[in-house]
Amino acid sequence: MADVVQYRLERMVGELDDLESRGIFTRREIAEIVKQRRKFEYRLKRPSPLKQDFIAYIDYETQLDALRRLRKKAATRELLRQGKKKTKTRKSVSDFAPVSRIMEIYRLAVMRYKGDVELWFRYLEFCRQRKNGRMKKVLAQVIRFHPKLPGVWIYAAAWEFDHNLNVAAARALMQSGLRMCPNSEDLWVEYLRMELTYLNKLKARKVALGEDKGTLVRDKKDADEKQWKEENKDLFMSLDDEDKENNDHVSDEESEKKSDLFSEHASGLLKTVYSGAIQALPSSFSLRKQFLEILESIEVADSEELRSEILRDMKRDFSADPEYWDWLARLEMSDASITGEKNEDAMHSRLQKAVQVYEEAIEAVPSATMFKLYINFLLDAIASERGEVEAFNLSDHASSYISDILKVYEKAETTGCLTEELACQCIAFYTQLGRLEEAKEVAENLYSGKLSDSVQLWLLRVSVEIRCITKDSLSPSKADALSIFELFKTVLTKMSISEAESLWIMALKFFANQEKSFEKLIELSLKAVAKYGGSENGFSLSSAVVNFILQKDGLKHAREVYKRFLALPHPGLALYKNCIELESNLASLGNEDSLVKTRKLYEAALATYDQDTSLWKDYHSLETKLGTSETAAAIYWRARKFLKDSAVDFTSPDQL
């Protein structure tokens, strides 16, 4: 290894001498360069060099070469400042060596990590930037190692087309790529773009020679200007004689025929590529959309027929896909923006056409996804109509959109496509509109059906009920409070604690200041914990109740309640830990009574959870801080006995 590294360093002597003789680097700097290169060379000669070793070496050489070029420019400016004439200096070995060395490191790296595509593209970018003539060779290598990667073919074709100006080679690469990767959408689209770009360049050349006019690219401004001139052609009548007018007319006809040739060629090209693409990828909806976008951005012969054909094919192949209908409806709105229809009536007309598409869609594809897309479209229309979703000073059009949304929700329910998400959206929409009574009525109807077990719907229903009774007064009457409690009771008794977590929290907050209802809620929570058991981790209903009471009524009442929970058959580890934390915080402040209660809680918890390591650690930590060395040692040895020695990793008695 040392001999190889020394040999490689000796080959750099000529370059280093040249750098010193030209005054670019000092002898001390060159010594540091040699030191760094030796370090990197040894890394590369290891049995298994890392990718990062190659990258670090390349980065170092790149920065060193950038510094060399800056100092070379500075030396040239200094000579000019001294009055010496600027002479074109011949390039020496130090000008070529850095690029050659970096290329060699890249070559070693990609041969070591042939499957690293990112490394190959870094190599290609370096070759492209430095223009050292090895680009074709590297492209051939990366294609040989990664023939199934579409990005490689696209990159190679783009380089041939844009930088090497070799259209034939670019076309051959694209066609080879399509044979190797026929299922790549990007390859089909980029191939079409390349061919159309080439065709447009040929047309631009004709225009530059004065043999043609215009381009294949669709320009809305030019189209508008042409339409205006046609409508006002009397303003542009020539004052010359009739022969000149006839000659100009003939010239325009010839130019139009030439332009038609390019348009027809583009049309034929698009048809051919489109046919091959849909044959290779018949189920790709996004590919059809991209072809349609390309068609709408260029001027080709029979563009309307082509557009109609693509749309027909899309309807034939994707009529069962909700995404297709959503795209088709939104296409109506995008067509309005393309044609420049900005007035309110025209936009409303376009929107009605989009609505008709959605109505057809829910008949053809009656699904929850289709209804959701329909509703989202109408919500977007309302948002654009009024600017803000929260503002309800609506125009007539926006009001009609709201009624349409409500009808869609009703239709989704009648067709059996109303999911939990759509139902929540419906109630929230009514609430947002301020129509609480209707929201309440809808919620009541929904809970009697298949969505009766939905926690989110129950949350919305309860929140709507609460808003209804508190809209006039912040404090509800006894009758209202009782009705809300019964509603909570209905759902809390039919759902498990883990499912109804958010409902329990809402109930505790709502009844916190209503003593009788809160007591009833405590009794309800005791029954729930007795039925479902306490939580080992995560949400603990009993802990939540104890914490609420602690904040509301103080420590004494909290102790009474947690004792009632602990008396249940399975109170849960989470409750034990919560009560221990409560008492231990007081014990750390010097409360002896709390220390006694904490120990009792630990003993009660360990009677059931004697294999919980964290519980033993916390107990030992408590005795270490607040107890004596004897009590801490006793806990330690008990823990070792129950946890089989190896599981105990806290401080031993000898270290106390």
Side-chain angles (χ1 to χ4, degrees):
M1 181 192 295
D3 293 341
V4 175
V5 171
Q6 187 61 30
Y7 172 73
R8 289 178 64 85
L9 291 174
E10 286 175 358
R11 292 184 63 187
M12 303 175 191
V13 171
E15 171 200 352
L16 297 173
D17 287 343
D18 186 54
L19 290 171
E20 184 181 4
S21 63
R22 297 172 70 179
I24 295 176
F25 291 117
T26 64
R27 181 170 289 274
R28 180 177 294 181
E29 289 173 331
I30 289 174
E32 181 62 27
I33 292 171
V34 172
K35 179 181 175 182
Q36 292 296 325
R37 285 179 177 173
R38 179 179 285 110
K39 180 181 72 174
F40 284 120
E41 290 290 342
Y42 270 111
R43 285 186 184 178
L44 299 192
K45 292 303 174 185
R46 291 188 298 181
S48 298
L50 303 174
K51 173 186 171 182
Q52 192 56 40
D53 296 334
F54 293 100
I55 298 298
Y57 198 179
I58 290 168
D59 290 342
Y60 173 76
E61 289 294 339
T62 303
Q63 293 170 10
L64 184 65
D65 187 46
L67 178 62
R68 178 193 65 79
R69 283 182 283 145
L70 285 173
R71 289 193 176 181
K72 183 179 177 182
K73 290 179 181 179
T76 304
R77 287 196 299 269
E78 182 64 22
L79 290 174
L80 290 174
R81 191 179 64 82
Q82 293 174 1
K84 296 181 180 180
K85 291 184 178 180
K86 184 177 180 181
T87 57
K88 187 174 181 180
T89 57
R90 294 178 60 187
K91 289 189 176 182
S92 60
V93 64
S94 62
D95 295 309
F96 300 104
V99 175
S100 299
R101 185 176 300 105
I102 294 172
M103 293 287 294
E104 178 63 16
I105 300 169
Y106 266 123
R107 188 189 67 79
L108 294 172
V110 295
M111 289 299 104
R112 179 76 185 181
Y113 297 97
K114 298 181 181 69
D116 195 317
V117 179
E118 181 185 357
L119 194 59
W120 277 106
F121 275 108
R122 282 189 62 161
Y123 190 11
L124 289 169
E125 279 299 298
F126 182 81
C127 293
R128 183 182 64 81
Q129 291 169 4
R130 294 307 176 95
K131 301 177 182 178
N132 64 338
R134 292 183 63 181
M135 188 70 173
K136 279 198 171 184
K137 183 179 179 181
V138 178
L139 281 172
Q141 287 179 320
V142 71
I143 287 173
R144 186 170 74 250
F145 287 118
H146 299 281
K148 294 293 184 180
L149 196 65
V152 170
W153 295 101
I154 294 172
Y155 188 96
W159 182 78
E160 289 286 1
F161 187 83
D162 295 328
H163 299 280
N164 212 28
L165 303 179
N166 190 338
V167 179
R171 183 181 290 115
L173 282 167
M174 275 295 192
Q175 291 172 353
S176 299
L178 287 172
R179 284 192 291 272
M180 296 300 297
C181 313
N183 296 327
S184 171
E185 292 183 20
D186 292 337
L187 263 176
W188 283 106
V189 172
E190 292 305 319
Y191 176 51
L192 178 60
R193 290 187 192 278
M194 185 192 75
E195 292 288 3
L196 290 174
T197 302
Y198 177 59
L199 199 60
N200 197 44
K201 284 186 175 182
L202 292 179
K203 186 174 176 63
R205 183 182 179 187
K206 290 283 187 180
V207 172
L209 294 172
E211 299 176 4
D212 205 344
K213 62 180 180 179
T215 64
L216 291 177
V217 180
R218 192 187 298 272
D219 192 336
K220 178 181 177 299
K221 183 179 178 182
D222 291 343
D224 292 344
E225 184 178 347
K226 182 179 179 181
Q227 182 181 358
W228 184 82
K229 285 183 177 180
E230 283 291 328
E231 293 172 353
N232 300 274
K233 59 184 178 181
D234 293 340
L235 300 176
F236 297 93
M237 290 294 289
S238 174
L239 298 178
D240 295 337
D241 55 13
E242 187 177 348
D243 292 338
K244 184 176 179 182
E245 182 179 343
N246 292 333
N247 290 336
D248 290 343
H249 185 65
V250 171
S251 177
D252 288 343
E253 285 183 351
E254 291 177 355
S255 178
E256 188 175 348
K257 286 180 181 179
K258 292 177 182 178
S259 180
D260 287 341
L261 289 175
F262 282 103
S263 297
E264 288 173 5
H265 192 178
S267 177
L269 182 65
L270 200 149
K271 286 180 181 177
T272 303
V273 178
Y274 171 74
S275 176
I278 63 171
Q279 187 176 357
L281 293 162
S283 60
S284 176
F285 178 61
S286 61
L287 182 63
R288 313 282 183 99
K289 289 196 296 184
Q290 291 183 77
F291 271 101
L292 195 62
E293 289 170 3
I294 292 173
L295 175 62
E296 290 175 346
S297 65
I298 60 173
E299 293 282 357
V300 299
D302 304 325
S303 60
E304 286 302 320
E305 293 180 11
L306 274 171
R307 187 176 189 273
S308 300
E309 180 184 349
I310 294 175
L311 289 174
R312 281 196 305 271
D313 291 346
M314 292 173 78
K315 187 171 185 178
R316 180 195 65 207
D317 297 335
F318 303 104
S319 58
D321 187 358
E323 183 188 356
Y324 160 73
W325 291 101
D326 183 57
W327 170 82
L328 187 63
R330 292 180 183 272
L331 185 65
E332 293 288 344
M333 302 303 296
S334 62
D335 285 346
S337 60
I338 291 171
T339 55
E341 297 177 6
K342 297 296 183 182
N343 62 80
E344 185 178 348
D345 291 335
M347 292 297 290
H348 180 65
S349 175
R350 286 283 183 177
L351 192 137
Q352 288 304 312
K353 290 181 180 179
V355 168
Q356 290 174 8
V357 173
Y358 278 113
E359 289 293 334
E360 183 183 352
I362 60 176
E363 293 294 331
V365 192
S367 64
T369 304
M370 194 67 254
F371 279 103
K372 181 181 176 182
L373 293 170
Y374 189 3
I375 291 167
N376 288 340
F377 172 78
L378 292 173
L379 288 173
D380 291 343
I382 294 175
S384 62
E385 182 77 22
R386 64 183 180 226
E388 295 181 2
V389 177
E390 291 79 13
F392 286 93
N393 296 322
L394 305 177
S395 67
D396 294 337
H397 292 324
S399 299
S400 68
Y401 303 155
I402 290 175
S403 63
D404 289 340
I405 290 175
L406 299 178
K407 289 177 183 176
V408 174
Y409 280 124
E410 291 175 6
K411 191 172 290 187
E413 184 180 3
T414 55
T415 55
C417 297
L418 192 67
T419 60
E420 180 182 358
E421 183 183 1
L422 283 176
C424 290
Q425 274 188 1
C426 179
I427 298 171
F429 188 66
Y430 271 112
T431 306
Q432 192 178 19
L433 292 171
R435 295 156 69 167
L436 297 178
E437 292 299 329
E438 293 177 69
K440 179 180 175 181
E441 183 180 349
V442 170
E444 290 175 355
N445 293 334
L446 290 174
Y447 301 130
S448 59
K450 63 179 182 179
L451 301 174
S452 58
D453 294 332
S454 169
V455 178
Q456 291 299 320
L457 282 175
W458 275 105
L459 273 172
L460 278 172
R461 179 179 180 183
V462 173
S463 63
V464 168
E465 293 278 359
I466 291 173
R467 287 186 63 176
C468 285
I469 66 174
T470 57
K471 62 181 179 180
D472 298 325
S473 174
L474 293 177
S475 57
S477 64
K478 291 183 179 180
D480 290 335
L482 181 61
S483 67
I484 295 295
F485 181 81
E486 290 300 323
L487 193 60
F488 271 116
K489 184 178 179 180
T490 302
V491 61
L492 294 177
T493 52
K494 69 184 289 190
M495 291 186 181
S496 65
I497 295 173
S498 58
E499 290 176 330
E501 174 185 345
S502 50
L503 283 164
W504 278 108
I505 298 297
M506 180 186 285
L508 289 170
K509 289 180 179 179
F510 183 75
F511 293 113
N513 297 322
Q514 302 175 40
E515 188 174 346
K516 291 184 178 180
S517 297
F518 196 79
E519 289 295 332
K520 292 179 182 179
L521 195 61
I522 293 174
E523 296 297 330
L524 202 62
S525 66
L526 285 164
K527 292 178 182 179
V529 174
K531 180 179 179 181
Y532 297 105
S535 172
E536 305 303 320
N537 48 51
F539 174 72
S540 171
L541 174 59
S542 49
S543 298
V545 172
V546 170
N547 292 335
F548 262 96
I549 293 174
L550 180 65
Q551 296 175 7
K552 177 176 172 287
D553 299 324
L555 178 63
K556 183 179 179 181
H557 195 190
R559 279 175 175 165
E560 293 175 0
V561 173
Y562 82 59
K563 287 178 182 178
R564 295 177 66 185
F565 278 111
L566 291 174
L568 297 173
H570 301 287
L573 181 60
L575 176 63
Y576 277 115
K577 288 186 174 181
N578 187 69
C579 297
I580 287 168
E581 183 182 4
L582 187 154
E583 297 292 355
S584 61
N585 288 338
L586 293 173
S588 64
L589 298 175
N591 190 322
E592 291 295 331
D593 184 47
S594 292
L595 181 59
V596 174
K597 293 182 184 300
T598 305
R599 285 172 174 158
K600 288 181 179 179
L601 287 167
Y602 270 119
E603 293 296 335
L606 289 169
T608 306
Y609 305 100
D610 58 359
Q611 296 301 308
D612 191 286
T613 307
S614 63
L615 202 59
W616 284 107
K617 286 183 179 181
D618 293 341
Y619 195 5
H620 180 264
S621 177
L622 175 78
E623 293 296 346
T624 303
K625 294 176 183 176
L626 303 178
T628 63
S629 58
E630 290 80 6
T631 57
I635 299 301
Y636 174 79
W637 292 113
R638 283 177 62 195
R640 290 194 61 174
K641 177 182 177 182
F642 283 101
L643 299 175
K644 308 300 182 186
D645 294 352
S646 61
V648 183
D649 57 355
F650 46 86
T651 309
S652 66
D654 299 334
Q655 296 172 310
L656 294 176

